[in-house]
Amino acid sequence: MALRIHEAWILLFVIPALVAPAAINHEDYPADEGDQTSSNDNLIFDDYRGKGCVDDSGFVYKLGERFFPGHSNCPCVCTEDGPVCDQPECPKIHPKCTKVEHNGCCPECKEVKNFCEYHGKSYKILEEFKPSPCEWCRCEPSNEVHCVVADCAVPECVNPVYEPEQCCPVCKNGPNCFAGTTIIPAGIEVKVDDCNICHCHNGDWWKPAQCSKRECQGKQAL
């Protein structure tokens, strides 16, 4: 009886030793993901693992690569914190620019205003025009209109006339002046009534006529 108990204890120690090598196989148990990646510390993962950058078209760039996120963006470098983009000092857009494109890092002027606007009309650069009979204007390269207004001389009559397409008034009947309410021509004496003879001032057509009294025809008749 004592012999059988001793043999049983021997079997308990021997059987596990024989079974263990066959039962424990590392291939049957997949290693942890951490154990698999620990041997690949130098591996750079793509964007879908958070180790890259994506442009507007969905293209993936690796760390350190230089790329353009979109058609209107400045160049960027892919970093672990995301794209780090250049911020250049773009040239100023011309104030007269009428067409600006944003297809690159900096906006670009494609068309500069090359005309002037004056009273609702457009004129070419250096074009001369007359918006009114008394104005002479020119469209300057600065897109501004400069005008000169004619300085008309004082008319030599009290009844000047403005003719169509003429700037300054004209004296159609020659120089004259007022003698009371009567207009008399300059240069001659005019008998305005039975007692008064008048004439215009020399050169001062805007002043009333000078008149002098003479014997009235009515008194002589008496």
Side-chain angles (χ1 to χ4, degrees):
M1 184 67 178
L3 178 61
R4 290 180 181 178
I5 295 173
H6 180 72
E7 291 175 354
W9 278 104
I10 292 174
L11 290 174
L12 291 174
F13 282 104
V14 172
I15 290 173
L18 294 174
V19 175
I24 301 174
N25 189 348
H26 290 286
E27 294 180 357
D28 296 335
Y29 296 91
D32 293 337
E33 186 176 353
D35 294 337
Q36 286 184 339
T37 58
S38 61
S39 61
N40 298 321
D41 292 337
N42 296 327
L43 180 63
I44 298 178
F45 294 97
D46 290 331
D47 177 71
Y48 43 82
R49 285 186 178 265
K51 298 294 184 179
C53 303
V54 183
D55 63 9
D56 291 350
S57 301
F59 193 86
V60 180
Y61 295 87
K62 295 182 179 180
L63 295 178
E65 281 192 284
R66 190 175 180 86
F67 68 103
F68 289 85
H71 71 281
S72 62
N73 298 100
C74 297
C76 303
V77 175
C78 183
T79 69
E80 292 183 354
D81 297 327
V84 176
C85 304
D86 295 340
Q87 296 296 330
E89 190 171 334
C90 296
K92 293 182 179 180
I93 298 296
H94 195 283
K96 299 295 182 180
C97 185
T98 57
K99 184 179 179 181
V100 180
E101 286 189 358
H102 299 272
N103 293 330
C105 183
C106 293
E108 185 178 358
C109 179
K110 290 296 183 180
E111 185 176 334
V112 178
K113 181 180 177 182
N114 59 352
F115 61 91
C116 300
E117 293 180 331
Y118 190 76
H119 292 175
K121 294 184 179 181
S122 298
Y123 300 93
K124 297 179 181 179
I125 299 296
L126 300 181
E127 182 179 357
E128 298 178 356
F129 57 96
K130 292 187 68 175
S132 69
C134 289
E135 290 180 286
W136 176 85
C137 303
R138 186 174 73 171
C139 176
E140 302 293 343
S142 61
N143 303 113
E144 297 180 351
V145 175
H146 289 171
C147 296
V148 176
V149 180
D151 187 11
C152 296
V154 178
E156 297 181 344
C157 59
V158 295
N159 56 348
V161 177
Y162 285 88
E163 296 285 355
E165 301 303 323
Q166 288 188 0
C167 175
C168 300
V170 295
C171 297
K172 297 189 71 174
N173 298 319
N176 55 39
C177 66
F178 276 116
T181 58
T182 303
I183 299 175
I184 62 174
I188 59 174
E189 291 185 343
V190 177
K191 189 175 182 181
V192 295
D193 55 31
D194 292 339
C195 302
N196 294 292
I197 296 178
C198 303
H199 68 276
C200 296
H201 294 274
N202 293 328
D204 296 333
W205 316 113
W206 61 92
K207 293 182 179 180
Q210 290 180 333
C211 298
S212 59
K213 287 187 178 182
R214 297 188 178 180
E215 292 183 1
C216 299
Q217 291 181 357
K219 291 181 179 180
Q220 291 179 354
L222 292 174

